């Protein structure tokens, strides 16, 4: 299996621009998680999906952030408009439902907003 | 709220020396615990996990952890570290369908 795939790996954009991060979970996994990692705040859960349905978005910072999962093999995290404080590494993770809670992480997208 | 505390933000250690990374969790009826490692510019990778059974858990790369219910701890150990163990290590616990992570411990292995 290729593991969790994220694109792009690096993104540099100007303040005010729209940014879209993409994630392909491991086939057969029915949970998908979006995290943000910064030096100041560490690793934060933004939102997670189960069977393509958003379950908990309490970690989404504000209305500028939105996430979708149109099908079992694809999810997007969109920031519109982007701000310099959104600069971070964004991780996607997935896991299979059941009693084992292990999550498998993608390599991350490093976002820089200038 | 269920929480995870990693007591050391940084741990410098010499090559071939032992290392212990401390993790404490808030008590709960059932506890599922994990240690992840993050190498520079990479995602998180599972080292080991405790779901039930033996309290001594062995993981990849020579790491092990011991679940201690009375002390609500899940410390990670390695008897002899390598330069390649330089990374950040995260303790986590399952909370519902989510994982709650500690703040991370940066391990710097010196030659």
């Amino acid at each position: 299996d290729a593991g969790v795939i994220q694109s792009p790996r690096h993104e540099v954009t100007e303040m005010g621009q729209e940014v879209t991060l993409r994630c392909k979970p491991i086939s057969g996994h029915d949970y998908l998680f979006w995290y943000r990692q910064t030096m100041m705040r560490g690793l934060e859960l933004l939102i997670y999906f189960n069977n393509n349905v958003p379950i908990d978005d309490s970690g989404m910072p504000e209305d500028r952030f939105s996430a979708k999962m149109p099908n079992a093999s694809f999810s997007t995290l969109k920031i519109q408009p982007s701000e310099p404080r959104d600069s971070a590494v964004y991780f996607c993770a997935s896991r299979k439902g059941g009693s084992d809670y292990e999550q498998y992480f993608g390599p991350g997208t490093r976002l820089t907003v200038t | 709220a269920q929480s995870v505390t990693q007591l050391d933000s940084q741990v410098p250690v010499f090559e071939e020396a032992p290392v212990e990374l401390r993790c404490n969790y808030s008590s709960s009826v059932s506890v599922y615990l994990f240690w992840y490692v993050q190498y520079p510019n990479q995602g998180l990778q599972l080292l080991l996990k405790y779901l039930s059974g033996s309290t001594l858990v062995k993981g990849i790369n020579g790491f092990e952890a011991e679940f201690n219910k009375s002390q609500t701890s899940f410390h990670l150990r390695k008897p002899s570290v390598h330069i390649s163990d330089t990374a950040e290590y995260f303790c986590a616990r399952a909370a519902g369908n989510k994982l709650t992570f500690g703040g991370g411990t940066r391990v710097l292995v010196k030659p």
Side-chain angles (χ1 to χ4, degrees):
Chain A
D1 200 317
V4 176
I5 299 173
Q6 291 186 248
S7 65
R9 292 295 311 276
H10 302 273
E11 177 79 41
V12 180
T13 191
E14 291 183 349
M15 182 175 62
Q17 297 298 306
E18 178 180 293
V19 176
T20 299
L21 311 182
R22 297 172 175 81
C23 175
K24 177 179 169 55
I26 293 173
S27 177
H29 284 193
D30 42 16
Y31 286 86
L32 184 140
F33 304 82
W34 281 101
Y35 292 88
R36 179 172 67 177
Q37 186 178 38
T38 61
M39 290 292 292
M40 291 298 294
R41 300 175 67 91
L43 197 60
E44 305 172 273
L45 176 66
L46 301 177
I47 185 172
Y48 81 91
F49 295 82
N50 179 220
N51 292 324
N52 314 335
V53 176
I55 303 300
D56 183 349
D57 65 355
S58 59
M60 295 286 262
E62 49 198 272
D63 292 345
R64 297 185 297 106
F65 286 68
S66 62
K68 294 181 179 179
M69 192 164 186
N71 57 64
S73 59
F74 184 66
S75 177
T76 59
L77 178 67
K78 186 176 294 186
I79 308 172
Q80 166 63 17
S82 58
E83 296 182 3
R85 60 191 169 122
D86 302 329
S87 297
V89 181
Y90 291 81
F91 290 103
C92 177
S94 69
R95 77 166 177 91
K96 194 172 177 58
S99 58
D100 185 334
Y101 295 90
E102 177 182 351
Q103 294 182 16
Y104 295 77
F105 282 76
T109 294
R110 182 174 296 275
L111 173 64
T112 302
V113 183
T114 61
Chain B
Q2 296 177 338
S3 66
V4 175
T5 302
Q6 292 184 242
L7 298 166
D8 305 297
S9 59
Q10 293 190 65
V11 173
V13 58
F14 285 105
E15 193 175 15
E16 298 185 5
V19 70
E20 178 180 84
L21 308 184
R22 297 180 292 169
C23 173
N24 286 91
Y25 62 91
S26 56
S27 70
S28 179
V29 174
S30 60
V31 180
Y32 305 106
L33 296 164
F34 304 79
W35 275 100
Y36 281 83
V37 60
Q38 184 179 26
Y39 298 106
N41 300 313
Q42 295 186 28
L44 279 69
Q45 176 185 355
L46 184 73
L47 275 177
L48 49 79
K49 60 188 174 186
Y50 172 79
L51 302 179
S52 65
S54 173
T55 57
L56 183 63
V57 181
K58 294 192 181 296
I60 63 171
N61 301 341
F63 284 92
E64 64 180 31
E66 184 157 17
F67 172 65
N68 188 319
K69 188 174 181 178
S70 63
Q71 297 190 6
T72 61
S73 69
F74 190 54
H75 299 337
L76 180 71
R77 302 181 183 96
K78 184 169 182 177
S80 175
V81 297
H82 302 289
I83 295 288
S84 59
D85 293 320
T86 293
E88 188 160 17
Y89 294 80
F90 292 91
C91 183
R93 69 174 295 171
N97 289 310
K98 303 184 288 188
L99 290 180
T100 298
F101 286 87
T105 299
R106 290 185 181 275
V107 173
L108 176 60
V109 181
K110 302 177 180 179

